[in-house]
Amino acid sequence: MTISSLRRKETAMNTRKRVLAIVLAVLAALAFAGTASPVGAATTTGPILWYNSANGSGAIGTIDETSNSHVTLRTYPAGAFATNWTHVVTTGSVDVGVRILWYNSANGSGAIGTIDETSNSHVTLRIYPAGTFATNWTHVVALGSRILWYNSANGSGEIGTIDASNSHVTLRTYPAGTFATNWTHVATVGPRILWYNSANGSGAIDAILPSHLGHDHVTLRTYPAGAFATNWTHVGTALGVPNRILWYNSANGSGAIGKIDEPSNSHVTLRTYPAGAFAPHWTHVVYVGNLILWYNSANGSAAIGTVDAIKGHVTLRTYPAGAFATNWTHVAAA
């Protein structure tokens, strides 16, 4: 073999080594970042938990974001869950992942669960007997990794969290009168809390300070009666665009989109929708990833939409009556 042919062979080998090194580097990057989805593969939102408090039945679903369609992953017959849970709240943090807090306001019992996404099944992690929690909390709302408990009758409250042992820990209690009474809706918008009274149109914007500041409650702005329209039945964070709030009136199908202006801590109305713009009688408006799931428990109809920065609310898919089971009392993104 001549010297020139040896050099050509060495050059080819070096080229193959460089190519192999590049391939290995790419594979290592993919392994670090997670497995790449095949071209055309469906992407889905996180799990959605459906629950019927009257008979203890349930289901787990998800939304296929490629087709914007709901997919049922698992169903539970009557009695699979305890009955009479009044609140089903999802919360979580980097330390514990997503946890589901079940609460019965009549007797103060509770439970903590999670969704095993491998088997698409609900797993109960801890149960609390009657009397463990105070009774008569009217609102239980996730505030980041913390949980805000509120009693609209007397204005008392509490801040809790789920720790790494899957236990609920009370971080601070607020005596009666700390908060105003008769708020009908409590919605979290980033670190801020929007309070609304559907009977008289009053409102407030507050914050609960972080742990190192003692979880102090701070009122940032108040709105007198009439500042907001009355009779909104649903007020929640529309996740398609950060810091957007979707207001909906189930009686007449009107709506609005607002935001919290952070420098002034004031609510700004960005868009209004007249009566009939939305279908009436949605009983649940659930924020799932960047999507909104609308559901009518009386007839099993539904819709999937989103809120974008330009068009406002966009309907992506509708489901006729009977497409879903009826009488789900709780629908929670888990």
Side-chain angles (χ1 to χ4, degrees):
M1 184 177 289
T2 64
I3 293 175
S4 59
S5 63
L6 285 172
R7 286 176 176 171
R8 285 196 299 273
K9 184 176 180 180
E10 182 180 5
T11 300
M13 290 177 65
N14 288 336
T15 300
R16 284 194 293 273
K17 288 179 180 179
R18 286 195 296 271
V19 171
L20 179 60
I22 293 171
V23 171
L24 289 173
V26 171
L27 290 175
L30 287 174
F32 180 80
T35 305
S37 298
V39 175
T43 58
T44 59
T45 63
I48 302 167
L49 176 64
W50 303 76
Y51 167 66
N52 181 321
S53 66
N55 66 13
S57 61
I60 296 172
T62 190
I63 295 178
D64 178 343
E65 295 183 281
T66 303
S67 60
N68 294 309
S69 58
H70 179 274
V71 181
T72 301
L73 303 172
R74 187 175 183 115
T75 59
Y76 291 91
F81 294 91
T83 57
N84 300 321
W85 296 120
T86 56
H87 296 71
V88 181
V89 181
T90 56
T91 185
S93 66
V94 174
D95 294 332
V96 302
V98 176
R99 294 293 181 262
I100 304 167
L101 175 65
W102 304 76
Y103 167 66
N104 181 322
S105 65
N107 66 12
S109 61
I112 295 171
T114 191
I115 302 297
D116 179 348
E117 294 190 54
T118 302
S119 60
N120 295 309
S121 58
H122 177 273
V123 180
T124 301
L125 302 170
R126 188 170 184 121
I127 56 175
Y128 293 93
T132 303
F133 295 94
T135 56
N136 300 321
W137 295 119
T138 54
H139 297 72
V140 186
V141 182
L143 181 61
S145 62
R146 296 178 294 175
I147 303 166
L148 172 64
W149 305 73
Y150 166 68
N151 182 321
S152 66
N154 65 13
S156 61
E158 196 170 277
I159 291 289
T161 191
I162 306 298
D163 70 11
S165 66
N166 296 308
S167 301
H168 178 273
V169 180
T170 301
L171 302 172
R172 178 154 183 165
T173 57
Y174 302 91
T178 302
F179 300 93
T181 57
N182 300 320
W183 296 122
T184 55
H185 296 72
V186 183
T188 57
V189 189
R192 288 165 175 76
I193 305 164
L194 174 65
W195 307 78
Y196 166 68
N197 182 322
S198 66
N200 66 12
S202 60
I205 297 171
D206 296 352
I208 303 292
L209 298 183
S211 299
H212 68 277
L213 295 176
H215 305 285
D216 283 347
H217 169 259
V218 179
T219 300
L220 302 171
R221 187 172 185 114
T222 58
Y223 292 91
F228 294 92
T230 57
N231 299 320
W232 295 119
T233 54
H234 296 73
V235 183
T237 306
L239 298 177
V241 179
N243 191 24
R244 293 294 186 269
I245 303 163
L246 177 64
W247 304 74
Y248 168 66
N249 182 322
S250 67
N252 64 14
S254 60
I257 295 174
K259 73 171 186 177
I260 303 297
D261 178 63
E262 294 189 5
S264 63
N265 293 305
S266 58
H267 178 274
V268 179
T269 301
L270 301 172
R271 181 164 185 153
T272 58
Y273 295 89
F278 295 93
H281 309 311
W282 296 121
T283 54
H284 296 71
V285 183
V286 184
Y287 306 94
V288 187
N290 293 327
L291 302 175
I292 302 170
L293 175 63
W294 305 76
Y295 167 66
N296 182 322
S297 66
N299 66 12
S301 61
I304 295 172
T306 190
V307 172
D308 69 19
I310 300 173
K311 299 177 183 178
H313 180 272
V314 180
T315 300
L316 303 172
R317 186 175 184 113
T318 59
Y319 290 91
F324 291 84
T326 57
N327 299 320
W328 296 121
T329 54
H330 297 73
V331 186

